[in-house]
Amino acid sequence: MSASEGEASLTASVVGASGFTGGELLRLLAGHPDFEIAQATSRSKANKTIGHVHPNLRELDLRFSSPEDLESVDVLFAATPHGVSMDHIDAFQDAADTVVDLSADFRLDSESQYDEWYDGHSRPELLAESEYALPELNRENLAGADLIASGGCNATATILGLLPLFENDVLSGDEQIVVDVKVGSSEGGAGGGEASSHPERSGVVRPYAPTGHRHEAEIEQFLGTSVSFTVHAVEMIRGASATIHVFPEEPVSKGDLWGAYRGSYEDEPFVRMVAGGGGVYRYPEPKAVAGSNDAEVGFELDPGNKRVVVFSAIDNMMKGSAGQAVHAANIALGLEETAGLDFAGMHPVGSP
């Protein structure tokens, strides 16, 4: 169904709309055939125009309003820091039939996980109600969901790279898996601080989470395996690129790998295979998906070391955040799955 086919538009609001992810949500919703933006909230920018903060949206006839005065809408997207949504979830659910949270507040299954990986959870009784937003992993549970948690960008890139190997029994979960993710500065948000400032970020390949990154919890939960996980900050604005070293217990051929990845992703609208071939972009590359909801996945076989090297690349602001959230909302509400997202990325671009 779509508004262009005679259906009434669905109303949507974005809480925390002055941040990078909030701006990306506004961009997507403004071009969506089925959504009408009713409200965009910001404590610090209340009453200012959207274009004051997001210059690419200067034509949007809307001003930021206070999050204390939520309007009733069909869908509320919460682009707030960790801890905010769990403390305001009653107000969010009173305002909207469907809530899509882009923080980490409802991604995990249990209170004990939040005790281990975060700082506890104030509303653990709602964790069982939440559905993980990544459609390639959880599509069948998203239809009709009224509380949706968008996945972390580093976890999303990693899960997309590894999922076919588990779905098609190439891996059992007992193997050694080493994951190295390189991410752009937008992951730190609009208030990223000194480490994300240009003088400090320029030219670096900086390991900022050598061990213990919180997104490990999502990977363990949804793939049923532990990973050795490291994240580097690099000089790009948009993008998350995962290089994953896998050591299968049994010999694996290229045919096995192609069969696994095609079996999982052949019909997926936002995943494309990039494994070798010609040209400059022979493997998944964040620049190639900049601005799009696409993910690229690929692999290379290292038989001498009994190793498979898996590559995955996303735009962390899109497939790793706002795009994933809109994709999940489309499915939850029974809309065309690709509505508002079916556009290619840009080439050439600078640091994505």
Side-chain angles (χ1 to χ4, degrees):
M1 112 180 145
S2 72
S4 61
E5 294 171 355
E7 299 288 344
S9 290
L10 297 167
T11 53
S13 61
V14 177
V15 177
S18 59
F20 289 154
T21 301
E24 198 75 335
L25 281 167
L26 292 174
R27 178 176 75 90
L28 296 178
L29 294 172
H32 197 291
D34 300 298
F35 285 122
E36 176 186 351
I37 303 172
Q39 187 176 27
T41 80
S42 170
R43 292 186 186 279
S44 62
K45 307 296 182 184
N47 298 317
K48 295 188 181 296
T49 64
I50 299 299
H52 176 82
V53 178
H54 304 300
N56 58 320
L57 301 176
R58 284 185 174 127
E59 299 302 315
L60 198 58
D61 185 19
L62 188 67
R63 289 179 179 269
F64 294 106
S65 58
S66 170
E68 303 299 330
D69 302 313
L70 294 179
E71 299 178 14
S72 294
V73 291
D74 296 303
V75 186
L76 182 149
F77 293 89
T80 53
H82 173 65
V84 174
S85 288
M86 68 174 79
D87 289 342
H88 293 82
I89 188 62
D90 289 336
F92 293 171
Q93 291 187 317
D94 285 345
D97 296 326
T98 303
V99 174
V100 185
D101 181 45
L102 281 76
S103 77
D105 283 11
F106 297 99
R107 293 173 185 166
L108 304 180
D109 286 344
S110 69
E111 185 177 9
S112 62
Q113 289 171 294
Y114 282 95
D115 290 338
E116 177 181 359
W117 291 97
Y118 292 89
D119 303 311
H121 203 287
S122 62
R123 298 297 302 276
E125 72 278 9
L126 295 177
L127 297 176
E129 299 178 18
S130 176
E131 292 294 344
Y132 199 60
L134 189 61
E136 293 81 5
L137 177 74
N138 197 39
R139 179 180 280 104
E140 64 276 11
N141 293 322
L142 285 170
D146 54 20
L147 179 57
I148 298 169
S150 191
C153 58
N154 302 317
T156 295
T158 302
I159 290 170
L160 288 174
L162 288 171
L163 184 61
L165 302 182
F166 286 95
E167 286 186 336
N168 296 281
D169 299 321
V170 176
L171 298 179
S172 67
D174 296 326
E175 298 84 357
Q176 182 182 10
I177 300 174
V178 179
V179 182
D180 180 75
V181 180
K182 295 178 176 62
V183 298
S185 57
S186 60
E187 181 177 292
E194 181 183 7
S196 293
S197 70
H198 181 71
E200 300 295 344
R201 189 76 175 218
S202 182
V204 306
V205 181
R206 178 191 301 136
Y208 81 86
T211 63
H213 194 286
R214 289 170 166 178
H215 289 184
E216 282 186 42
E218 293 169 59
I219 299 165
E220 292 179 359
Q221 174 172 291
F222 293 109
L223 294 183
T225 189
S226 61
V227 296
S228 301
F229 192 79
T230 297
V231 183
H232 286 77
V234 299
E235 188 182 7
M236 61 182 177
I237 297 171
R238 289 176 178 258
S241 176
T243 300
I244 307 168
H245 307 273
V246 180
F247 299 86
E249 295 178 343
E250 301 294 333
V252 178
S253 70
K254 277 201 171 183
D256 294 331
L257 295 173
W258 277 111
Y261 281 93
R262 284 174 174 157
S264 293
Y265 291 146
E266 189 170 30
D267 296 324
E268 286 293 344
F270 295 118
V271 182
R272 59 197 190 203
M273 288 297 304
V274 183
V280 175
Y281 297 96
R282 297 170 54 227
Y283 297 100
E285 165 61 54
K287 283 184 70 170
V289 295
S292 79
N293 196 51
D294 294 322
E296 291 188 343
V297 294
F299 58 83
E300 193 57 77
L301 189 61
D302 180 12
N305 291 299
K306 299 179 181 179
R307 176 179 65 136
V308 178
V309 186
V310 176
F311 307 99
S312 175
I314 61 173
D315 181 331
N316 62 297
M317 298 287 292
M318 283 292 296
K319 187 64 176 173
S321 189
Q324 182 183 148
V326 172
H327 188 183
N330 285 343
I331 296 171
L333 295 164
L335 305 175
E336 171 58 42
E337 188 170 323
T338 61
L341 297 167
D342 194 13
F343 46 81
M346 302 170 288
H347 179 79
V349 294
S351 297

